[in-house]
Amino acid sequence: MDFSIKACDWSKGEANGFLTGKADVVVLGVFEAQTLTGAARVMDVATKGLISRVVKAGDMSGRAGTTLMIPEVTGIGAARVLLVGLGKQDAFNQKAYGEAVRAAWRVILGTKIGQVTFTLAQLPILERTGDWGVRAAILALRELTYKFSQMKSKPENGERSLRKIVFSIDTADEKAARVAAKQGVAIANGMDLTRDLGNLPPNVCTPTYLGQTAKQLGRDWKLKVEVLGQKQIEALNMGSFLSVAKGSVQPPQFIVMHYQGAGEPVKARGKNASNASNAPIVLVGKGITFDSGGISIKPGEAMDEMKYDMCGAGSVFGTMRAVAEMGLKLNVIGVVPTCENMPAGNALKPGDIVTAMNGTTIEVLNTDAEGRLILCDALTYAERFKPAAVVDIATLTGACIIALGHHNTGLFSKDDALAGELLDASREAVDPAWRLPLDDEYQEQLKSNFADVANIGGRPAGSVTAACFLSRFAQNYPWAHLDIAGTAWKSGAAKGATGRPVPLLSQFLIDRAGQ
Ligand code: BES
Ligand code: MN
Ligand code: ZN
Protein backbone atom coordinates (compact mmCIF):
# COMPACT_ATOMS: atom_id res chain seq x y z
CA MET A 1 0.00 0.00 0.00
CA ASP A 2 1.26 3.40 -0.91
CA PHE A 3 0.72 6.31 1.50
CA SER A 4 1.32 9.90 0.51
CA ILE A 5 0.78 13.36 1.98
CA LYS A 6 -0.65 16.38 0.20
CA ALA A 7 -1.04 19.77 1.83
CA CYS A 8 -4.40 21.52 1.75
CA ASP A 9 -5.78 24.20 4.07
CA TRP A 10 -9.51 23.54 3.68
CA SER A 11 -10.48 26.15 6.25
CA LYS A 12 -9.04 28.79 3.94
CA GLY A 13 -11.31 27.48 1.20
CA GLU A 14 -8.40 25.81 -0.57
CA ALA A 15 -8.62 22.52 -2.42
CA ASN A 16 -5.11 22.10 -3.90
CA GLY A 17 -6.22 19.72 -6.63
CA PHE A 18 -8.30 17.58 -4.26
CA LEU A 19 -11.55 18.48 -6.05
CA THR A 20 -10.40 17.26 -9.44
CA GLY A 21 -7.95 14.54 -8.28
CA LYS A 22 -9.08 11.05 -9.23
CA ALA A 23 -9.92 8.66 -6.39
CA ASP A 24 -12.37 5.85 -5.80
CA VAL A 25 -13.51 7.50 -2.61
CA VAL A 26 -12.92 10.60 -0.53
CA VAL A 27 -13.35 10.13 3.23
CA LEU A 28 -15.01 13.11 4.94
CA GLY A 29 -15.86 13.72 8.59
CA VAL A 30 -19.13 14.93 10.08
CA PHE A 31 -19.40 15.95 13.74
CA GLU A 32 -22.59 15.66 15.76
CA ALA A 33 -25.08 18.52 15.40
CA GLN A 34 -24.65 18.28 11.63
CA THR A 35 -21.31 20.06 11.65
CA LEU A 36 -19.28 19.40 8.50
CA THR A 37 -15.49 19.43 8.72
CA GLY A 38 -13.59 21.94 6.56
CA ALA A 39 -12.91 19.38 3.86
CA ALA A 40 -16.55 18.27 3.86
CA ARG A 41 -17.70 21.89 3.44
CA VAL A 42 -15.45 22.45 0.42
CA MET A 43 -16.58 19.15 -1.14
CA ASP A 44 -20.18 20.07 -0.36
CA VAL A 45 -19.92 23.20 -2.48
CA ALA A 46 -18.26 21.28 -5.31
CA THR A 47 -21.01 18.65 -5.28
CA LYS A 48 -23.74 21.31 -5.28
CA GLY A 49 -24.84 20.71 -1.68
CA LEU A 50 -24.99 16.89 -1.85
CA ILE A 51 -23.35 16.37 1.54
CA SER A 52 -25.41 18.93 3.44
CA ARG A 53 -28.60 17.50 1.90
CA VAL A 54 -27.70 14.00 3.04
CA VAL A 55 -26.91 15.27 6.54
CA LYS A 56 -30.09 17.38 6.73
CA ALA A 57 -32.15 14.40 5.60
CA GLY A 58 -30.85 12.57 8.69
CA ASP A 59 -28.89 9.91 6.81
CA MET A 60 -25.69 10.84 8.66
CA SER A 61 -26.08 12.04 12.24
CA GLY A 62 -22.40 12.52 12.97
CA ARG A 63 -22.65 9.98 15.78
CA ALA A 64 -19.27 8.38 16.50
CA GLY A 65 -18.56 5.20 14.56
CA THR A 66 -21.36 5.62 11.99
CA THR A 67 -20.58 5.68 8.26
CA LEU A 68 -22.44 6.38 5.04
CA MET A 69 -21.12 5.57 1.58
CA ILE A 70 -22.52 7.83 -1.12
CA PRO A 71 -21.99 6.31 -4.60
CA GLU A 72 -21.99 7.92 -8.04
CA VAL A 73 -20.95 11.36 -6.87
CA THR A 74 -20.52 14.04 -9.54
CA GLY A 75 -18.75 17.38 -9.43
CA ILE A 76 -15.50 16.11 -7.88
CA GLY A 77 -12.75 13.78 -9.09
CA ALA A 78 -13.63 11.11 -6.54
CA ALA A 79 -16.28 8.57 -7.57
CA ARG A 80 -17.71 8.17 -4.06
CA VAL A 81 -17.91 10.01 -0.75
CA LEU A 82 -17.61 8.12 2.52
CA LEU A 83 -19.06 10.15 5.38
CA VAL A 84 -17.78 9.22 8.82
CA GLY A 85 -19.43 10.26 12.09
CA LEU A 86 -16.95 11.82 14.52
CA GLY A 87 -19.09 12.39 17.62
CA LYS A 88 -18.93 15.63 19.60
CA GLN A 89 -16.53 18.16 18.15
CA ASP A 90 -15.26 19.46 21.51
CA ALA A 91 -14.58 15.89 22.68
CA PHE A 92 -12.69 14.76 19.59
CA ASN A 93 -9.78 12.97 21.18
CA GLN A 94 -7.39 10.20 20.22
CA LYS A 95 -9.97 7.54 21.05
CA ALA A 96 -12.79 9.10 19.01
CA TYR A 97 -10.37 9.56 16.12
CA GLY A 98 -9.29 5.91 16.33
CA GLU A 99 -12.90 4.73 16.24
CA ALA A 100 -13.74 6.90 13.26
CA VAL A 101 -10.66 5.80 11.37
CA ARG A 102 -11.28 2.11 12.00
CA ALA A 103 -14.92 2.47 10.94
CA ALA A 104 -13.81 4.10 7.69
CA TRP A 105 -11.17 1.46 6.92
CA ARG A 106 -13.62 -1.36 7.65
CA VAL A 107 -16.10 -0.02 5.12
CA ILE A 108 -13.38 0.54 2.53
CA LEU A 109 -11.83 -2.90 3.05
CA GLY A 110 -15.24 -4.43 2.39
CA THR A 111 -15.27 -2.96 -1.13
CA LYS A 112 -13.08 -3.14 -4.24
CA ILE A 113 -11.86 0.41 -3.69
CA GLY A 114 -8.25 0.91 -4.74
CA GLN A 115 -7.55 4.59 -4.25
CA VAL A 116 -8.57 6.69 -1.24
CA THR A 117 -8.40 10.37 -0.42
CA PHE A 118 -8.39 10.61 3.37
CA THR A 119 -9.14 13.92 5.09
CA LEU A 120 -9.65 12.84 8.73
CA ALA A 121 -5.97 12.84 9.74
CA GLN A 122 -6.00 16.61 9.43
CA LEU A 123 -8.66 17.19 12.09
CA PRO A 124 -7.49 18.72 15.36
CA ILE A 125 -7.30 15.92 17.92
CA LEU A 126 -7.20 16.85 21.61
CA GLU A 127 -3.69 16.65 23.07
CA ARG A 128 -2.12 15.50 19.80
CA THR A 129 0.07 17.23 17.25
CA GLY A 130 -1.06 17.85 13.66
CA ASP A 131 0.91 14.95 12.18
CA TRP A 132 -0.18 12.36 14.74
CA GLY A 133 -3.34 11.32 12.90
CA VAL A 134 -1.40 10.12 9.86
CA ARG A 135 0.64 7.59 11.78
CA ALA A 136 -2.38 6.40 13.76
CA ALA A 137 -4.44 5.96 10.57
CA ILE A 138 -1.70 3.91 8.91
CA LEU A 139 -1.26 1.73 11.98
CA ALA A 140 -5.03 1.19 12.25
CA LEU A 141 -5.25 0.14 8.61
CA ARG A 142 -2.29 -2.21 8.85
CA GLU A 143 -3.76 -3.72 12.02
CA LEU A 144 -7.00 -4.47 10.17
CA THR A 145 -5.28 -5.96 7.14
CA TYR A 146 -2.79 -8.17 8.98
CA LYS A 147 -3.31 -11.83 8.26
CA PHE A 148 -1.32 -14.87 9.28
CA SER A 149 -1.89 -17.52 6.66
CA GLN A 150 1.55 -18.90 5.94
CA MET A 151 0.74 -22.23 7.61
CA LYS A 152 -2.43 -22.84 5.58
CA SER A 153 -2.01 -25.42 2.84
CA LYS A 154 -3.79 -23.26 0.26
CA PRO A 155 -3.39 -19.52 -0.05
CA GLU A 156 -6.40 -17.73 1.41
CA ASN A 157 -8.57 -15.81 -1.02
CA GLY A 158 -6.98 -12.94 -2.19
CA GLU A 159 -5.61 -9.90 -3.63
CA ARG A 160 -6.30 -6.76 -1.70
CA SER A 161 -7.63 -4.00 -3.92
CA LEU A 162 -6.76 -1.05 -1.65
CA ARG A 163 -3.39 0.26 -2.82
CA LYS A 164 -3.13 4.03 -2.64
CA ILE A 165 -4.02 6.42 0.16
CA VAL A 166 -3.52 10.18 -0.03
CA PHE A 167 -3.76 12.09 3.24
CA SER A 168 -4.72 15.75 3.19
CA ILE A 169 -2.81 17.74 5.82
CA ASP A 170 -2.45 21.40 6.82
CA THR A 171 0.53 23.03 5.11
CA ALA A 172 2.11 23.71 8.50
CA ASP A 173 2.11 19.99 9.33
CA GLU A 174 3.16 18.70 5.93
CA LYS A 175 6.78 17.95 6.71
CA ALA A 176 6.04 16.28 10.04
CA ALA A 177 3.25 14.28 8.42
CA ARG A 178 5.67 12.83 5.85
CA VAL A 179 7.90 11.67 8.69
CA ALA A 180 4.85 10.31 10.53
CA ALA A 181 3.80 8.32 7.46
CA LYS A 182 7.25 6.81 7.15
CA GLN A 183 7.25 5.97 10.85
CA GLY A 184 3.77 4.47 10.61
CA VAL A 185 4.81 2.10 7.83
CA ALA A 186 8.05 1.17 9.61
CA ILE A 187 6.30 0.46 12.90
CA ALA A 188 3.57 -1.54 11.13
CA ASN A 189 6.22 -3.59 9.32
CA GLY A 190 7.97 -4.21 12.63
CA MET A 191 4.70 -5.25 14.25
CA ASP A 192 3.95 -7.63 11.39
CA LEU A 193 7.30 -9.33 11.94
CA THR A 194 6.64 -9.57 15.68
CA ARG A 195 3.19 -11.01 15.06
CA ASP A 196 4.42 -13.52 12.47
CA LEU A 197 7.12 -14.79 14.84
CA GLY A 198 4.59 -15.07 17.67
CA ASN A 199 2.02 -16.84 15.54
CA LEU A 200 4.41 -19.37 14.00
CA PRO A 201 4.07 -22.79 15.62
CA PRO A 202 6.78 -23.83 18.08
CA ASN A 203 7.96 -26.64 15.81
CA VAL A 204 8.85 -24.01 13.20
CA CYS A 205 9.80 -21.02 15.33
CA THR A 206 12.61 -22.70 17.27
CA PRO A 207 15.69 -21.00 18.75
CA THR A 208 17.56 -21.93 15.57
CA TYR A 209 14.82 -20.32 13.46
CA LEU A 210 15.07 -17.12 15.52
CA GLY A 211 18.84 -17.14 14.95
CA GLN A 212 18.32 -17.47 11.20
CA THR A 213 15.68 -14.73 11.27
CA ALA A 214 18.15 -12.43 13.03
CA LYS A 215 20.78 -13.10 10.38
CA GLN A 216 18.27 -12.38 7.63
CA LEU A 217 17.25 -9.17 9.39
CA GLY A 218 20.93 -8.26 9.49
CA ARG A 219 21.30 -8.79 5.74
CA ASP A 220 18.12 -6.90 4.91
CA TRP A 221 18.76 -3.91 7.18
CA LYS A 222 22.54 -3.79 7.50
CA LEU A 223 22.61 -4.81 11.15
CA LYS A 224 25.65 -6.50 12.61
CA VAL A 225 24.32 -9.80 13.94
CA GLU A 226 26.02 -12.41 16.10
CA VAL A 227 24.36 -15.71 16.91
CA LEU A 228 26.15 -17.63 19.65
CA GLY A 229 25.63 -21.39 19.98
CA GLN A 230 25.88 -23.80 22.90
CA LYS A 231 29.71 -23.79 23.07
CA GLN A 232 30.00 -20.02 23.02
CA ILE A 233 27.26 -19.65 25.61
CA GLU A 234 29.13 -22.12 27.81
CA ALA A 235 32.32 -20.11 27.38
CA LEU A 236 30.44 -17.05 28.68
CA ASN A 237 29.47 -19.01 31.83
CA MET A 238 25.76 -18.43 31.36
CA GLY A 239 24.92 -21.24 33.77
CA SER A 240 21.44 -19.98 34.47
CA PHE A 241 20.40 -19.66 30.82
CA LEU A 242 21.92 -23.05 29.98
CA SER A 243 20.14 -24.75 32.88
CA VAL A 244 16.79 -23.96 31.23
CA ALA A 245 17.98 -24.96 27.75
CA LYS A 246 19.39 -28.35 28.68
CA GLY A 247 16.08 -30.24 28.88
CA SER A 248 15.36 -29.62 25.21
CA VAL A 249 16.74 -31.25 22.08
CA GLN A 250 16.64 -27.83 20.39
CA PRO A 251 19.99 -26.09 20.93
CA PRO A 252 19.89 -22.67 22.61
CA GLN A 253 20.97 -19.53 20.77
CA PHE A 254 22.15 -16.21 22.09
CA ILE A 255 21.41 -13.50 19.55
CA VAL A 256 22.94 -10.02 19.45
CA MET A 257 21.87 -7.46 16.83
CA HIS A 258 23.55 -4.07 16.44
CA TYR A 259 21.93 -1.09 14.77
CA GLN A 260 24.35 1.82 14.49
CA GLY A 261 22.44 4.92 13.57
CA ALA A 262 24.73 7.22 15.57
CA GLY A 263 28.11 5.78 14.63
CA GLU A 264 30.65 4.11 16.87
CA PRO A 265 30.16 4.65 20.59
CA VAL A 266 32.74 7.10 21.92
CA LYS A 267 35.13 5.12 24.10
CA ALA A 268 33.85 5.32 27.62
CA ARG A 269 36.22 6.25 30.40
CA GLY A 270 35.86 5.82 34.14
CA LYS A 271 32.77 5.79 36.22
CA ASN A 272 30.31 7.68 34.05
CA ALA A 273 30.77 5.25 31.25
CA SER A 274 27.07 5.00 30.53
CA ASN A 275 26.94 8.75 29.87
CA ALA A 276 29.38 8.49 27.01
CA SER A 277 27.84 9.88 23.86
CA ASN A 278 26.41 7.35 21.41
CA ALA A 279 26.01 4.85 24.25
CA PRO A 280 23.46 2.36 22.98
CA ILE A 281 20.00 1.52 24.19
CA VAL A 282 19.89 -2.23 24.73
CA LEU A 283 16.65 -4.16 24.30
CA VAL A 284 16.61 -7.63 25.86
CA GLY A 285 13.81 -9.99 24.82
CA LYS A 286 12.70 -13.27 26.40
CA GLY A 287 12.88 -15.92 23.70
CA ILE A 288 11.32 -19.07 25.13
CA THR A 289 9.99 -20.63 21.92
CA PHE A 290 7.90 -23.06 23.94
CA ASP A 291 7.28 -23.06 27.68
CA SER A 292 5.97 -26.43 28.86
CA GLY A 293 6.91 -25.44 32.40
CA GLY A 294 9.70 -28.02 32.41
CA ILE A 295 9.62 -30.55 35.26
CA SER A 296 7.23 -28.17 37.08
CA ILE A 297 5.01 -28.90 34.11
CA LYS A 298 2.03 -26.70 33.23
CA PRO A 299 -1.55 -27.97 33.06
CA GLY A 300 -2.58 -29.05 29.56
CA GLU A 301 -5.27 -26.47 28.98
CA ALA A 302 -4.21 -23.80 26.46
CA MET A 303 -0.63 -25.01 26.69
CA ASP A 304 -0.39 -24.30 22.96
CA GLU A 305 -0.38 -20.61 23.85
CA MET A 306 3.05 -21.03 25.38
CA LYS A 307 4.44 -20.75 21.86
CA TYR A 308 4.00 -17.01 22.46
CA ASP A 309 6.58 -17.10 25.21
CA MET A 310 9.07 -15.66 22.72
CA CYS A 311 7.03 -12.49 22.13
CA GLY A 312 9.54 -10.39 24.09
CA ALA A 313 12.18 -11.58 21.63
CA GLY A 314 9.72 -11.01 18.77
CA SER A 315 9.18 -7.43 19.88
CA VAL A 316 12.94 -6.86 19.90
CA PHE A 317 13.16 -8.16 16.32
CA GLY A 318 10.21 -5.99 15.27
CA THR A 319 11.57 -2.89 16.95
CA MET A 320 15.05 -3.39 15.45
CA ARG A 321 13.43 -3.61 12.02
CA ALA A 322 11.31 -0.51 12.64
CA VAL A 323 14.28 1.49 13.93
CA ALA A 324 16.38 0.52 10.91
CA GLU A 325 13.59 1.39 8.47
CA MET A 326 13.05 4.75 10.18
CA GLY A 327 16.80 5.36 10.08
CA LEU A 328 16.87 6.69 13.64
CA LYS A 329 20.06 8.45 14.60
CA LEU A 330 20.94 6.42 17.66
CA ASN A 331 22.56 3.12 18.52
CA VAL A 332 20.34 0.22 19.49
CA ILE A 333 21.39 -3.31 20.41
CA GLY A 334 18.92 -6.19 20.55
CA VAL A 335 19.84 -9.11 22.80
CA VAL A 336 17.81 -12.32 22.70
CA PRO A 337 18.50 -15.42 24.79
CA THR A 338 16.39 -18.16 23.22
CA CYS A 339 15.66 -21.79 24.08
CA GLU A 340 12.81 -24.15 24.88
CA ASN A 341 11.65 -25.00 28.41
CA MET A 342 11.02 -28.76 28.32
CA PRO A 343 10.86 -31.67 30.74
CA ALA A 344 13.38 -34.44 30.14
CA GLY A 345 15.62 -36.87 32.00
CA ASN A 346 18.39 -34.30 31.91
CA ALA A 347 16.14 -31.30 32.52
CA LEU A 348 16.51 -28.72 35.27
CA LYS A 349 14.81 -29.92 38.50
CA PRO A 350 13.21 -28.11 41.41
CA GLY A 351 15.90 -27.89 44.07
CA ASP A 352 18.76 -27.55 41.58
CA ILE A 353 21.15 -24.70 42.28
CA VAL A 354 22.66 -23.02 39.23
CA THR A 355 25.32 -20.33 38.89
CA ALA A 356 24.53 -17.30 36.76
CA MET A 357 27.07 -15.53 34.54
CA ASN A 358 27.73 -12.92 37.23
CA GLY A 359 28.41 -15.58 39.87
CA THR A 360 25.06 -15.39 41.67
CA THR A 361 23.84 -18.80 42.79
CA ILE A 362 20.14 -19.44 42.18
CA GLU A 363 18.00 -22.08 43.83
CA VAL A 364 15.43 -23.21 41.28
CA LEU A 365 12.27 -23.87 43.26
CA ASN A 366 10.04 -23.95 40.19
CA THR A 367 11.29 -24.74 36.69
CA ASP A 368 8.31 -22.84 35.25
CA ALA A 369 9.85 -19.58 36.43
CA GLU A 370 12.35 -19.94 33.58
CA GLY A 371 12.08 -16.54 31.91
CA ARG A 372 14.02 -14.81 34.66
CA LEU A 373 16.65 -17.58 34.51
CA ILE A 374 17.47 -16.85 30.88
CA LEU A 375 17.07 -13.07 31.15
CA CYS A 376 19.40 -12.66 34.12
CA ASP A 377 22.40 -13.81 32.08
CA ALA A 378 21.38 -11.60 29.16
CA LEU A 379 21.20 -8.63 31.55
CA THR A 380 24.71 -9.39 32.79
CA TYR A 381 25.91 -9.71 29.19
CA ALA A 382 24.41 -6.27 28.38
CA GLU A 383 26.89 -4.59 30.77
CA ARG A 384 29.66 -4.90 28.19
CA PHE A 385 27.94 -2.35 25.96
CA LYS A 386 28.06 0.39 28.63
CA PRO A 387 24.45 1.10 27.74
CA ALA A 388 22.62 4.40 28.16
CA ALA A 389 19.66 2.25 29.23
CA VAL A 390 18.50 -1.35 29.10
CA VAL A 391 14.86 -2.32 28.62
CA ASP A 392 13.91 -5.97 28.86
CA ILE A 393 10.65 -7.24 27.40
CA ALA A 394 9.18 -10.53 28.55
CA THR A 395 6.02 -12.61 28.80
CA LEU A 396 7.24 -13.13 32.32
CA THR A 397 4.35 -13.82 34.70
CA GLY A 398 0.77 -15.01 34.67
CA ALA A 399 0.41 -12.79 37.74
CA CYS A 400 0.78 -9.74 35.49
CA ILE A 401 -2.36 -10.80 33.63
CA ILE A 402 -4.16 -11.09 36.98
CA ALA A 403 -2.95 -7.62 37.99
CA LEU A 404 -3.45 -5.68 34.75
CA GLY A 405 -5.48 -7.84 32.38
CA HIS A 406 -4.86 -7.45 28.67
CA HIS A 407 -4.79 -3.67 28.31
CA ASN A 408 -1.70 -2.49 30.12
CA THR A 409 1.83 -3.79 29.92
CA GLY A 410 3.45 -3.96 33.37
CA LEU A 411 6.32 -1.48 33.69
CA PHE A 412 8.94 -1.82 36.43
CA SER A 413 11.87 0.49 37.02
CA LYS A 414 13.71 2.13 39.87
CA ASP A 415 14.70 4.92 37.50
CA ASP A 416 11.91 7.52 37.56
CA ALA A 417 13.23 9.34 34.50
CA LEU A 418 13.39 6.17 32.40
CA ALA A 419 9.98 5.01 33.65
CA GLY A 420 8.58 8.44 32.77
CA GLU A 421 10.01 8.28 29.27
CA LEU A 422 8.49 4.85 28.69
CA LEU A 423 5.09 5.92 30.04
CA ASP A 424 5.13 9.03 27.82
CA ALA A 425 6.00 6.88 24.83
CA SER A 426 3.23 4.43 25.67
CA ARG A 427 0.67 7.26 25.74
CA GLU A 428 1.93 8.81 22.52
CA ALA A 429 1.85 5.43 20.77
CA VAL A 430 -1.47 4.35 22.34
CA ASP A 431 0.28 1.21 23.56
CA PRO A 432 -0.59 1.51 27.24
CA ALA A 433 1.67 0.57 30.13
CA TRP A 434 1.18 0.86 33.88
CA ARG A 435 3.95 1.23 36.41
CA LEU A 436 4.08 -1.31 39.23
CA PRO A 437 6.31 -1.15 42.31
CA LEU A 438 9.79 -2.54 42.71
CA ASP A 439 10.50 -1.78 46.37
CA ASP A 440 13.34 -3.60 48.09
CA GLU A 441 10.90 -5.00 50.67
CA TYR A 442 9.73 -7.52 48.07
CA GLN A 443 13.28 -8.88 47.70
CA GLU A 444 12.81 -10.76 50.98
CA GLN A 445 10.38 -13.11 49.27
CA LEU A 446 13.27 -14.36 47.14
CA LYS A 447 15.36 -15.55 50.09
CA SER A 448 16.83 -19.02 49.69
CA ASN A 449 18.04 -21.27 52.48
CA PHE A 450 20.71 -22.75 50.25
CA ALA A 451 21.72 -20.28 47.53
CA ASP A 452 22.06 -16.50 47.05
CA VAL A 453 18.52 -16.20 45.74
CA ALA A 454 15.49 -18.34 44.91
CA ASN A 455 13.84 -18.11 41.50
CA ILE A 456 10.31 -17.67 42.89
CA GLY A 457 8.86 -15.52 45.64
CA GLY A 458 5.52 -17.16 46.37
CA ARG A 459 2.05 -16.11 45.24
CA PRO A 460 1.85 -12.53 46.56
CA ALA A 461 2.87 -9.93 43.97
CA GLY A 462 4.29 -12.54 41.61
CA SER A 463 5.09 -9.98 38.89
CA VAL A 464 6.90 -7.74 41.35
CA THR A 465 9.09 -10.51 42.75
CA ALA A 466 9.92 -11.60 39.20
CA ALA A 467 11.02 -8.04 38.44
CA CYS A 468 12.93 -7.94 41.74
CA PHE A 469 14.81 -11.06 40.68
CA LEU A 470 15.83 -9.39 37.42
CA SER A 471 16.79 -6.15 39.16
CA ARG A 472 19.65 -7.95 40.92
CA PHE A 473 21.32 -8.43 37.54
CA ALA A 474 20.66 -4.90 36.27
CA GLN A 475 22.49 -2.82 38.88
CA ASN A 476 25.07 -1.25 36.59
CA TYR A 477 22.93 0.78 34.17
CA PRO A 478 19.52 2.49 34.02
CA TRP A 479 17.06 -0.35 33.56
CA ALA A 480 13.36 -0.98 33.02
CA HIS A 481 11.39 -4.19 32.65
CA LEU A 482 8.20 -4.65 30.62
CA ASP A 483 5.99 -7.62 31.50
CA ILE A 484 3.92 -8.26 28.36
CA ALA A 485 2.26 -11.53 29.45
CA GLY A 486 -1.16 -9.91 29.09
CA THR A 487 -0.56 -7.67 26.08
CA ALA A 488 1.56 -9.64 23.62
CA TRP A 489 -1.28 -11.82 22.45
CA LYS A 490 -5.01 -12.35 22.45
CA SER A 491 -6.72 -15.59 23.44
CA GLY A 492 -10.15 -16.77 22.31
CA ALA A 493 -11.58 -16.78 18.82
CA ALA A 494 -9.24 -14.07 17.53
CA LYS A 495 -6.24 -15.86 19.05
CA GLY A 496 -2.94 -14.42 17.95
CA ALA A 497 0.03 -12.17 18.58
CA THR A 498 -0.67 -8.42 18.84
CA GLY A 499 2.68 -6.91 17.89
CA ARG A 500 2.83 -5.05 21.19
CA PRO A 501 4.87 -3.39 22.59
CA VAL A 502 6.61 -2.51 19.30
CA PRO A 503 4.76 0.85 19.11
CA LEU A 504 5.81 1.77 22.65
CA LEU A 505 9.45 0.76 22.12
CA SER A 506 9.63 2.46 18.72
CA GLN A 507 8.22 5.69 20.16
CA PHE A 508 10.66 5.54 23.08
CA LEU A 509 13.55 5.26 20.61
CA ILE A 510 12.14 7.97 18.30
CA ASP A 511 12.03 10.27 21.34
CA ARG A 512 15.55 9.28 22.43
CA ALA A 513 16.83 10.00 18.95
CA GLY A 514 15.03 13.35 19.04
CA GLN A 515 13.33 12.60 15.73
N1 BES B 1 5.68 -17.75 30.41
C1 BES B 1 5.14 -17.82 31.72
C2 BES B 1 4.29 -16.62 32.08
C3 BES B 1 2.98 -16.55 31.37
C4 BES B 1 1.89 -17.24 31.86
C5 BES B 1 2.83 -15.77 30.26
C6 BES B 1 0.68 -17.16 31.20
C7 BES B 1 1.62 -15.69 29.62
C8 BES B 1 0.54 -16.39 30.10
C9 BES B 1 6.27 -17.92 32.74
O1 BES B 1 7.40 -18.58 32.32
C10 BES B 1 5.72 -18.66 33.90
O2 BES B 1 5.39 -19.81 33.74
N2 BES B 1 5.60 -18.00 35.03
C11 BES B 1 5.07 -18.60 36.20
C12 BES B 1 5.88 -18.14 37.37
C13 BES B 1 5.60 -18.89 38.63
C14 BES B 1 6.06 -20.32 38.52
C15 BES B 1 6.31 -18.19 39.76
C16 BES B 1 3.62 -18.14 36.34
O3 BES B 1 3.31 -17.00 36.01
O4 BES B 1 2.80 -18.96 36.73
MN1 MN C 1 7.24 -20.68 32.63
ZN1 ZN D 1 7.74 -18.61 30.30
Side-chain angles (χ1 to χ4, degrees), residues 286 291 298 306 309 366 368-370 372 395-399 401 456 485 489:
K286 173 178 173 182
D291 181 10
K298 288 180 179 294
M306 281 301 124
D309 213 17
N366 190 318
D368 199 10
E370 85 297 341
R372 61 199 81 180
T395 48
L396 201 63
T397 63
I401 309 179
I456 55 168
W489 79 84

Side-chain angles (χ1 to χ4, degrees), residues 146-330:
Y146 174 82
K147 226 179 166 154
F148 181 79
S149 51
Q150 42 177 305
M151 300 307 293
K152 304 273 188 188
S153 59
K154 293 184 197 75
E156 301 212 319
N157 51 318
E159 287 278 286
R160 200 169 289 296
S161 39
L162 182 56
R163 53 174 205 284
K164 187 169 161 51
I165 295 107
V166 181
F167 292 99
S168 76
I169 276 294
D170 286 349
T171 311
D173 298 322
E174 190 182 352
K175 220 175 132 197
R178 289 227 160 81
V179 175
K182 188 175 166 188
Q183 290 176 347
V185 171
I187 294 170
N189 287 340
M191 290 175 81
D192 282 4
L193 172 61
T194 302
R195 296 177 85 172
D196 284 349
L197 291 173
N199 289 333
L200 278 170
N203 60 330
V204 173
C205 185
T206 58
T208 304
Y209 181 90
L210 286 181
Q212 288 162 350
T213 303
K215 289 208 168 125
Q216 189 59 47
L217 208 56
R219 285 190 286 274
D220 292 347
W221 295 98
K222 296 200 174 67
L223 311 177
K224 197 179 100 203
V225 174
E226 304 157 84
V227 180
L228 311 185
Q230 174 83 28
K231 286 268 146 57
Q232 290 154 298
I233 302 169
E234 278 168 17
L236 285 164
N237 292 318
M238 293 188 171
S240 186
F241 174 31
L242 288 168
S243 76
V244 176
K246 69 182 180 162
S248 166
V249 296
Q250 294 290 342
Q253 309 270 273
F254 192 86
I255 302 168
V256 187
M257 297 170 278
H258 300 256
Y259 168 77
Q260 290 213 328
E264 291 288 327
V266 172
K267 275 272 172 296
R269 258 177 273 105
K271 259 190 137 192
N272 289 329
S274 61
N275 292 331
S277 69
N278 295 350
I281 305 282
V282 179
L283 304 177
V284 177
K286 173 178 173 182
I288 295 288
T289 59
F290 187 72
D291 181 10
S292 71
I295 295 297
S296 313
I297 199 159
K298 288 180 179 294
E301 200 195 323
M303 205 203 260
D304 65 291
E305 297 197 353
M306 281 301 124
K307 71 176 181 175
Y308 297 117
D309 213 17
M310 37 53 66
C311 280
S315 74
V316 172
F317 280 79
T319 304
M320 295 299 292
R321 190 195 190 287
V323 164
E325 190 172 346
M326 290 187 283
L328 294 187
K329 292 190 175 62
L330 86 169

Side-chain angles (χ1 to χ4, degrees), residues 341-395:
N341 185 22
M342 296 291 274
N346 62 339
L348 183 67
K349 301 175 291 296
D352 283 359
I353 293 177
V354 302
T355 305
M357 183 180 177
N358 74 350
T360 303
T361 60
I362 305 165
E363 186 185 13
V364 179
L365 293 175
N366 190 318
T367 65
D368 199 10
E370 85 297 341
R372 61 199 81 180
L373 294 176
I374 74 168
L375 289 169
C376 67
D377 284 340
L379 290 170
T380 300
Y381 185 86
E383 283 181 15
R384 69 186 54 207
F385 302 120
K386 310 222 176 329
V390 176
V391 180
D392 78 72
I393 309 102
T395 48

